[in-house]
Amino acid sequence: MSVLRRAVAVPVVASFAVIVLAACATGSGGSAVPFGAAEPALPSGEVVGQGTVLEADGEAQLCLGPVADSYPPQCSGIPLDGWSWDGVDGSESSNGVTWGAYVVQGTYDGSTLTVTAPPILLALYDPMPMPDPTGGEPGSGDEATLADAQDSLADRLGTDYVSSSIDNGYLWVDVVWDDGSYQDAADREFGEKVVVVRSALREAA
């Protein structure tokens, strides 16, 4: 995600480490797994992801998060195995790069999405709405703590990190895939009603 990630200053990482240690020391019984160190189980079936498919130098990837505003666009995402542009509408090409916005279905092994069905143009897709786990209630996080946590997310989550934002007292964190493990770890570390983790890949219906 080198194009999209922000650089993290050393003082921020240091101060955030103090927060992590304090949270682990005061969390509810047992040895808490710090957020970012959790290991979600791989999906047992097929998943769907929506975003920009971009192919350059013969390598296709599905970018689940923001895409750099350039022409051709730039992004970094999940490698796609079995992707083909044959019969696929809605793509553009420039300077050896081909891209388009699609819904892609396949199997995910933790690093690569293997395509198992024809892609759907994102503009024609009508997904089921994602439920709001907060119920619209404000979170309990203060702006300074949430901002410090956000600044270190790319380093803590590595390639699982997609994007994040702060809103209504919550730090909203989008990851490639979560079976609930990241959310549980975030609740243990920060307390409930502070961090909301959303999985960009969702189980196929």
Side-chain angles (χ1 to χ4, degrees), residues 4-147:
L4 304 176
R5 291 180 182 168
R6 293 175 294 170
V8 180
V10 172
V12 173
V13 175
S15 62
F16 191 69
V18 174
I19 297 172
V20 173
L21 291 174
C24 290
T26 58
S28 56
S31 57
V33 177
F35 181 49
E39 296 183 3
L42 294 176
S44 58
E46 295 186 356
V47 294
V48 292
Q50 47 188 302
T52 297
V53 174
L54 185 148
E55 182 174 9
D57 299 323
E59 300 292 332
Q61 58 186 329
L62 173 63
C63 300
L64 299 165
V67 177
D69 187 14
S70 59
Y71 194 85
Q74 302 175 65
C75 63
S76 182
I78 311 171
L80 290 176
D81 187 20
W83 176 266
S84 172
W85 295 104
D86 292 343
V88 176
D89 297 326
S91 65
E92 295 183 59
S93 296
S94 177
N95 295 328
V97 178
T98 303
W99 70 94
Y102 304 97
V103 177
V104 183
Q105 180 169 327
T107 56
Y108 181 61
D109 64 3
S111 61
T112 300
L113 185 64
T114 300
V115 180
T116 58
I120 302 172
L121 274 170
L122 190 55
L124 303 179
Y125 187 60
D126 186 20
M128 291 291 290
M130 242 181 167
D132 180 359
T134 73
E137 297 182 4
S140 58
D142 64 84
E143 288 291 325
T145 299
L146 296 177

